[in-house]
Amino acid sequence: MVLSKKRGNELIPQYSLTGDLLSYLRCGLQYRYHNGSSLPPSRPVQLWFGEFIHGVMEAAYRIWSTTNPAFPWPSNPTPYRQAPPKGRSAHDIGVIGDVVEGTLMAQGKSARSRDTRDNAYVRAQKAVNELGPHLFPLIASAEERVIGTRTIPNSSANASRSQLYELHGIIDVVTDVQLSGATTKNVIKQAIQDSCPGLSGNYEVIVDYKGSRRPATSEPYWQQGEWQVQTYGWLRTRQANSLPVAAGVLLYVNELSPVSSDLVSLRREVSNNKTDVIPANGTPDSYALNAWRTGNAIPNFSLAFRLARAIRVIPIDPTSQATATNNFDKVVASIEQCVAQEAVAGAINPNWAPCGDEETCAACDFRHFCPSPYPHKKGHVVGAPSAP
Ligand code: SF4
């Protein structure tokens, strides 16, 4: 019997759903620059804010599940660069925030300004006190790691390093929801039931916190958010202990406390029919939004309207999962192609598309030597990793 020669070890590239695929879609060139260095970005405002909200919600859930303090929880943040106030309780959002800020600081991440930090505490307080009473009782597990292996499409044509890739991620929250169709006072459960009529029984629902406003339905982030939870759903069903996944829920925390720029965007999206949650005609929320002008105080929108803007439910089924995962496969193929082109050319810039949007470019460390920061020069952005 002739023994076949041992095959060489094959490199299986590993991709994080948020750290790689969504980052690459945000800007290909920025993604490449960050991956060439282990240093965290120097002004990671989006990163810091999102991670601060995640950290506070995670810690608040742990406290709620052990000692169950009644809502609303107090919020007395440590004043900027001063000593913490005395006499705060363990569930004070200021105390929770100190721990989260300290952890992020140790990783080299801090708020860009005092305003950013103050704003983060306001939103964290709203997230805990307005979403927490509905979300925390549904949580089955938090920070759930998921992993799966997928095929890279056209791997030979793209000169990919492998035919397969490993996809991994961390689901913020997995909830165990009993769907019955009966009306409930839990706004998150009610939103899931409204979006998944006809389902009954026990299901998992995947929840992801977003440190951002609800995007316009025409923005790439709208579709990418859907792909993200659909793909988490696919990864989750690879785990032995999972129940059927009914839906994903994105929680857009900024909607709980909008600032002026959020209202400018909302008014524009309402007039262009580019958002799916608007105040009903004739309501105080509708009047306040129509009457608001830049420079005016932010109106006191109702809790119901703010929660409706914050909660987005995306039903998950095998067809929608296949669409989302196939799209992320194409993103991986696109990254692999850039890697191969750079290896041949020996240069970064021509092989990774500088395609950040206005907000991404404004906070980007590389904007001073980027060949095409926002607003992009006409005709310069070739091969941008737009939505596949
Ligand atoms: S400045 Fe903008 S386009 Fe250039 S690398 Fe940064 S995010 Fe990308």
Side-chain angles (χ1 to χ4, degrees):
M1 178 183 160
V2 180
L3 292 175
S4 58
K5 204 170 151 191
K6 183 174 181 290
R7 289 168 55 198
N9 289 337
E10 190 177 14
L11 170 85
I12 307 273
Q14 298 178 348
Y15 284 97
S16 148
L17 209 162
T18 51
D20 291 303
L21 305 191
L22 294 180
S23 296
Y24 174 74
L25 289 172
R26 192 175 282 275
C27 175
L29 186 58
Q30 186 193 55
Y31 166 73
R32 172 61 185 86
Y33 282 145
H34 279 315
N35 270 291
S37 160
S38 58
L39 293 174
S42 63
R43 296 199 319 153
V45 59
Q46 293 156 331
L47 202 63
W48 181 86
F49 178 70
E51 292 193 20
F52 179 77
I53 294 292
H54 277 75
V56 170
M57 291 301 281
E58 161 83 3
Y61 168 65
R62 303 275 175 221
I63 292 171
W64 178 86
S65 60
T66 49
T67 57
N68 199 5
F71 293 107
W73 294 7
S75 182
N76 298 289
T78 300
Y80 193 59
R81 294 183 178 165
Q82 292 179 35
K86 292 194 176 10
R88 296 181 297 179
S89 55
H91 63 282
D92 191 302
I93 291 155
V95 174
I96 298 171
D98 283 347
V99 176
V100 177
E101 273 197 271
T103 307
L104 292 175
M105 186 87 73
Q107 299 166 8
K109 300 169 191 167
S110 56
R112 185 169 55 172
S113 66
R114 181 191 291 211
D115 282 351
T116 304
R117 180 178 179 272
D118 290 348
N119 203 9
Y121 272 97
V122 171
R123 286 171 167 166
Q125 185 270 120
K126 297 269 184 192
V128 170
N129 284 324
E130 295 181 349
L131 288 172
H134 302 280
L135 177 65
F136 293 167
L138 302 178
I139 293 179
S141 64
E143 300 281 309
E144 188 74 36
R145 290 182 181 274
V146 283
I147 192 163
T149 307
R150 298 190 54 83
T151 303
I152 303 176
N154 301 319
S155 51
S156 333
N158 295 334
S160 301
R161 290 169 289 176
S162 165
Q163 293 179 344
L164 301 173
Y165 75 98
E166 184 186 289
L167 181 60
H168 57 94
I170 301 176
I171 299 174
D172 288 341
V173 166
V174 175
T175 61
D176 185 346
V177 183
Q178 189 166 33
L179 300 177
S180 62
T183 307
T184 164
K185 287 184 178 165
N186 186 310
V187 294
I188 295 177
K189 186 174 172 185
Q190 187 62 52
I192 296 166
Q193 294 198 149
D194 292 346
S195 299
C196 304
L199 288 188
S200 63
N202 267 50
Y203 288 88
E204 287 186 354
V205 172
I206 284 161
V207 178
D208 197 71
Y209 305 120
K210 292 284 180 199
S212 65
R213 65 181 297 273
R214 191 182 189 94
T217 50
S218 54
E219 280 184 70
Y221 299 131
W222 179 260
Q223 189 179 52
Q224 289 165 18
E226 171 169 353
W227 293 351
Q228 183 186 356
V229 288
Q230 298 277 2
T231 303
Y232 276 151
W234 179 82
L235 288 167
R236 177 65 183 154
T237 52
R238 259 75 228 136
Q239 293 185 298
N241 61 344
S242 67
L243 292 170
V245 179
V249 174
L250 296 174
L251 297 174
Y252 297 108
V253 168
N254 294 18
E255 295 291 345
L256 299 173
S257 178
V259 295
S260 186
S261 58
D262 296 328
L263 293 193
V264 170
S265 300
L266 177 57
R267 282 171 55 95
R268 186 176 57 237
E269 288 157 15
V270 170
S271 4
N272 296 334
N273 206 16
K274 299 288 187 206
T275 186
D276 60 334
V277 178
I278 59 174
N281 274 339
T283 59
D285 291 327
S286 169
Y287 175 78
L289 183 62
N290 288 332
W292 181 83
R293 295 290 177 271
T294 307
N296 292 0
I298 302 296
N300 286 323
F301 292 115
S302 67
L303 178 61
F305 174 60
R306 289 183 293 108
L307 285 174
R309 292 269 318 157
I311 300 169
R312 177 183 172 198
V313 182
I314 298 161
I316 291 179
D317 61 40
T319 308
S320 60
Q321 272 181 350
T323 304
T325 47
N326 288 341
N327 278 314
F328 275 134
D329 292 343
K330 290 178 195 164
V331 176
V332 170
S334 176
I335 298 175
E336 286 291 315
Q337 190 164 22
C338 294
V339 170
Q341 286 172 193
E342 182 190 324
V344 171
I348 294 175
N349 282 3
N351 297 300
W352 298 83
C355 55
D357 60 18
E358 185 174 6
E359 199 183 338
T360 307
C361 289
C364 177
D365 287 339
F366 314 114
R367 65 197 176 286
H368 300 300
F369 57 89
C370 171
S372 181
Y374 187 91
H376 305 295
K377 296 179 202 81
K378 198 161 186 282
H380 192 100
V381 182
V382 178
S386 54

